[in-house]
Amino acid sequence: MRSDVQTFVADGPLPTWDADEEEIDRRFRQLEAISAPVTPDEAQALAACFGPDDCYDVAWSLLHLIETSPGPVPPVTPPGTDAGEWHHVLWNRWGNHALTDEGLTR
């Protein structure tokens, strides 16, 4: 995993919309430093970094970066009832239609 991805992931989930502006800007700069495409392993690690809201659209940038990964975009299983909004967004944008096409969803 590249160092810029490791740095972003090490800082954990994105902050909420009411976080300090400097913190939100710092996380956005970290995200911008990651060049696309990301590997499937990097995409999986990045998917764990969604916070509880869109963090002034930083979450959308994270989502789009994850989607640059070749092959399956995480999560590949349906999100559980306790999954965050962004895992549902990933599932709706990629997961459920791909698995439905293969007859894997019930």
Side-chain angles (χ1 to χ4, degrees), residues 42-106:
E42 290 171 337
Q44 185 70 45
L46 290 166
C49 294
F50 287 108
D53 59 36
D54 74 348
C55 187
Y56 290 101
D57 291 336
V58 178
W60 281 109
S61 296
L62 176 58
L63 177 80
H64 294 310
L65 180 62
I66 290 169
E67 290 179 328
T68 68
S69 172
V73 176
V76 295
T77 58
T81 56
D82 61 339
E85 171 187 0
W86 292 99
H87 290 116
H88 289 277
V89 171
L90 270 176
W91 174 253
N92 288 332
R93 287 173 65 98
W94 182 84
N96 75 19
H97 68 81
L99 294 179
T100 300
D101 291 344
E102 295 175 14
L104 298 176
T105 55
R106 299 195 193 317

Side-chain angles (χ1 to χ4, degrees), residues 10-11 14 16 20 23 29-30 37 46-47 51 73 76 79 82-84 99 106:
D11 279 353
L14 291 173
T16 63
D20 181 78
E23 175 64 9
R29 285 190 307 274
Q30 283 179 325
L46 290 166
V73 176
V76 295
D82 61 339
L99 294 179
R106 299 195 193 317

Side-chain angles (χ1 to χ4, degrees), residues 28-39:
F28 184 70
R29 285 190 307 274
Q30 283 179 325
L31 192 58
E32 283 186 313
I34 301 170
S35 61
V38 297
T39 67

